[in-house]
mmCIF file of all heavy atoms in Angstrom:
data_model
loop_
_atom_site.group_PDB
_atom_site.id
_atom_site.type_symbol
_atom_site.label_atom_id
_atom_site.label_comp_id
_atom_site.label_asym_id
_atom_site.label_seq_id
_atom_site.Cartn_x
_atom_site.Cartn_y
_atom_site.Cartn_z
ATOM 1 N N THR A 153 -2.257 -20.032 31.768
ATOM 2 C CA THR A 153 -2.044 -18.628 31.421
ATOM 3 C C THR A 153 -1.309 -18.636 30.092
ATOM 4 O O THR A 153 -0.587 -19.595 29.788
ATOM 5 C CB THR A 153 -1.189 -17.885 32.458
ATOM 6 O OG1 THR A 153 0.078 -18.529 32.562
ATOM 7 C CG2 THR A 153 -1.876 -17.826 33.811
ATOM 8 N N GLY A 234 1.377 -22.685 33.464
ATOM 9 C CA GLY A 234 1.718 -21.261 33.307
ATOM 10 C C GLY A 234 2.590 -21.074 32.084
ATOM 11 O O GLY A 234 3.803 -21.216 32.156
ATOM 12 N N VAL A 235 1.956 -20.805 30.952
ATOM 13 C CA VAL A 235 2.724 -20.634 29.712
ATOM 14 C C VAL A 235 2.976 -19.151 29.433
ATOM 15 O O VAL A 235 3.852 -18.793 28.669
ATOM 16 C CB VAL A 235 1.987 -21.267 28.502
ATOM 17 C CG1 VAL A 235 2.949 -21.515 27.344
ATOM 18 C CG2 VAL A 235 1.298 -22.572 28.879
ATOM 19 N N ALA A 236 2.205 -18.278 30.068
ATOM 20 C CA ALA A 236 2.312 -16.846 29.775
ATOM 21 C C ALA A 236 3.705 -16.312 30.050
ATOM 22 O O ALA A 236 4.378 -16.765 30.973
ATOM 23 C CB ALA A 236 1.299 -16.081 30.624
ATOM 24 N N VAL A 238 4.744 -13.605 31.602
ATOM 25 C CA VAL A 238 4.211 -12.550 32.481
ATOM 26 C C VAL A 238 5.305 -11.500 32.717
ATOM 27 O O VAL A 238 6.431 -11.854 33.059
ATOM 28 C CB VAL A 238 3.789 -13.140 33.848
ATOM 29 C CG1 VAL A 238 3.089 -12.083 34.693
ATOM 30 C CG2 VAL A 238 2.892 -14.349 33.665
ATOM 31 N N GLY A 239 4.955 -10.260 32.520
ATOM 32 C CA GLY A 239 5.923 -9.191 32.791
ATOM 33 C C GLY A 239 6.256 -9.184 34.276
ATOM 34 O O GLY A 239 5.342 -9.159 35.110
ATOM 35 N N ASP A 240 7.541 -9.229 34.606
ATOM 36 C CA ASP A 240 7.912 -9.260 36.024
ATOM 37 C C ASP A 240 7.683 -7.909 36.682
ATOM 38 O O ASP A 240 7.544 -7.826 37.893
ATOM 39 C CB ASP A 240 9.382 -9.662 36.166
ATOM 40 C CG ASP A 240 9.570 -11.122 35.812
ATOM 41 O OD1 ASP A 240 8.722 -11.933 36.211
ATOM 42 O OD2 ASP A 240 10.546 -11.456 35.116
ATOM 43 N N ASN A 267 5.594 -7.285 39.779
ATOM 44 C CA ASN A 267 4.284 -7.921 39.590
ATOM 45 C C ASN A 267 4.194 -9.186 40.446
ATOM 46 O O ASN A 267 5.225 -9.757 40.798
ATOM 47 C CB ASN A 267 4.108 -8.326 38.115
ATOM 48 C CG ASN A 267 3.459 -7.221 37.312
ATOM 49 O OD1 ASN A 267 2.652 -6.456 37.828
ATOM 50 N ND2 ASN A 267 3.805 -7.148 36.045
ATOM 51 N N PRO A 268 2.992 -9.656 40.741
ATOM 52 C CA PRO A 268 2.891 -10.921 41.481
ATOM 53 C C PRO A 268 3.378 -12.068 40.611
ATOM 54 O O PRO A 268 3.220 -12.040 39.394
ATOM 55 C CB PRO A 268 1.382 -11.044 41.743
ATOM 56 C CG PRO A 268 0.730 -10.159 40.740
ATOM 57 C CD PRO A 268 1.693 -9.059 40.439
ATOM 58 N N ASP A 269 3.970 -13.079 41.241
ATOM 59 C CA ASP A 269 4.388 -14.283 40.499
ATOM 60 C C ASP A 269 3.216 -15.272 40.545
ATOM 61 O O ASP A 269 2.946 -15.904 41.577
ATOM 62 C CB ASP A 269 5.653 -14.880 41.121
ATOM 63 C CG ASP A 269 6.234 -15.968 40.222
ATOM 64 O OD1 ASP A 269 5.451 -16.776 39.678
ATOM 65 O OD2 ASP A 269 7.462 -16.005 40.058
ATOM 66 N N ILE A 270 2.521 -15.380 39.415
ATOM 67 C CA ILE A 270 1.279 -16.174 39.365
ATOM 68 C C ILE A 270 1.575 -17.662 39.562
ATOM 69 O O ILE A 270 0.924 -18.347 40.348
ATOM 70 C CB ILE A 270 0.545 -15.925 38.025
ATOM 71 C CG1 ILE A 270 0.284 -14.416 37.870
ATOM 72 C CG2 ILE A 270 -0.752 -16.731 37.945
ATOM 73 C CD1 ILE A 270 -0.230 -13.989 36.512
ATOM 74 N N LEU A 271 2.599 -18.132 38.837
ATOM 75 C CA LEU A 271 2.951 -19.554 38.930
ATOM 76 C C LEU A 271 3.303 -19.929 40.376
ATOM 77 O O LEU A 271 2.819 -20.950 40.895
ATOM 78 C CB LEU A 271 4.137 -19.843 38.000
ATOM 79 C CG LEU A 271 4.687 -21.258 38.007
ATOM 80 C CD1 LEU A 271 3.646 -22.255 37.509
ATOM 81 C CD2 LEU A 271 5.944 -21.356 37.147
ATOM 82 N N GLY A 285 5.264 -25.133 34.922
ATOM 83 C CA GLY A 285 5.689 -23.799 34.528
ATOM 84 C C GLY A 285 6.654 -23.868 33.362
ATOM 85 O O GLY A 285 7.134 -24.950 32.988
ATOM 86 N N PHE A 286 6.950 -22.731 32.794
ATOM 87 C CA PHE A 286 7.899 -22.623 31.693
ATOM 88 C C PHE A 286 9.076 -21.775 32.135
ATOM 89 O O PHE A 286 8.933 -20.935 33.021
ATOM 90 C CB PHE A 286 7.231 -21.962 30.475
ATOM 91 C CG PHE A 286 6.560 -22.966 29.581
ATOM 92 C CD1 PHE A 286 5.385 -23.575 29.978
ATOM 93 C CD2 PHE A 286 7.112 -23.301 28.354
ATOM 94 C CE1 PHE A 286 4.766 -24.515 29.167
ATOM 95 C CE2 PHE A 286 6.509 -24.237 27.536
ATOM 96 C CZ PHE A 286 5.336 -24.841 27.935
ATOM 97 N N ALA A 287 10.205 -21.986 31.515
ATOM 98 C CA ALA A 287 11.343 -21.123 31.759
ATOM 99 C C ALA A 287 12.043 -20.884 30.424
ATOM 100 O O ALA A 287 12.433 -21.845 29.753
ATOM 101 C CB ALA A 287 12.299 -21.775 32.747
ATOM 102 N N GLU A 289 15.250 -19.411 29.018
ATOM 103 C CA GLU A 289 16.549 -19.026 29.586
ATOM 104 C C GLU A 289 17.579 -18.804 28.486
ATOM 105 O O GLU A 289 17.475 -19.395 27.405
ATOM 106 C CB GLU A 289 17.065 -20.140 30.526
ATOM 107 C CG GLU A 289 16.148 -20.451 31.699
ATOM 108 C CD GLU A 289 16.145 -19.378 32.782
ATOM 109 O OE1 GLU A 289 17.079 -18.549 32.793
ATOM 110 O OE2 GLU A 289 15.215 -19.356 33.598
ATOM 111 N N LYS A 300 13.854 -23.002 39.701
ATOM 112 C CA LYS A 300 12.480 -22.532 39.527
ATOM 113 C C LYS A 300 11.475 -23.562 40.033
ATOM 114 O O LYS A 300 10.449 -23.222 40.608
ATOM 115 C CB LYS A 300 12.244 -22.257 38.040
ATOM 116 C CG LYS A 300 11.599 -20.927 37.795
ATOM 117 C CD LYS A 300 11.831 -20.429 36.409
ATOM 118 C CE LYS A 300 12.986 -19.445 36.406
ATOM 119 N NZ LYS A 300 13.214 -18.826 35.126
ATOM 120 N N LYS A 304 9.077 -22.123 42.952
ATOM 121 C CA LYS A 304 7.689 -21.899 42.548
ATOM 122 C C LYS A 304 6.784 -23.069 42.967
ATOM 123 O O LYS A 304 5.608 -23.093 42.619
ATOM 124 C CB LYS A 304 7.608 -21.676 41.043
ATOM 125 C CG LYS A 304 8.501 -20.528 40.585
ATOM 126 C CD LYS A 304 8.008 -19.871 39.347
ATOM 127 C CE LYS A 304 9.001 -18.832 38.861
ATOM 128 N NZ LYS A 304 8.368 -17.667 38.254
HETATM 129 O O1 LIG B 401 10.433 -16.402 36.839
HETATM 130 P P1 LIG B 401 10.311 -16.683 35.382
HETATM 131 O O2 LIG B 401 9.614 -15.567 34.618
HETATM 132 O O3 LIG B 401 11.563 -17.074 34.684
HETATM 133 O O4 LIG B 401 9.379 -17.978 35.309
HETATM 134 C C1 LIG B 401 8.660 -18.342 34.197
HETATM 135 C C2 LIG B 401 7.435 -19.109 34.606
HETATM 136 O O5 LIG B 401 6.774 -18.424 35.656
HETATM 137 C C3 LIG B 401 6.427 -19.186 33.492
HETATM 138 O O6 LIG B 401 5.714 -20.389 33.642
HETATM 139 C C4 LIG B 401 5.537 -17.989 33.738
HETATM 140 O O7 LIG B 401 4.250 -18.188 33.204
HETATM 141 C C5 LIG B 401 5.523 -17.911 35.230
HETATM 142 N N1 LIG B 401 5.429 -16.543 35.761
HETATM 143 C C6 LIG B 401 4.265 -16.133 36.400
HETATM 144 N N2 LIG B 401 4.188 -14.872 36.938
HETATM 145 C C7 LIG B 401 5.222 -14.030 36.871
HETATM 146 C C8 LIG B 401 6.418 -14.425 36.257
HETATM 147 C C9 LIG B 401 6.483 -15.689 35.707
HETATM 148 O O8 LIG B 401 3.310 -16.910 36.440
HETATM 149 N N3 LIG B 401 5.125 -12.812 37.404
#
Side-chain angles (χ1 to χ4, degrees):
T153 59
V235 199
V238 187
D240 289 319
N267 269 328
D269 190 318
I270 304 171
L271 177 64
F286 271 73
E289 300 287 343
K300 228 158 262 185
K304 304 207 186 215

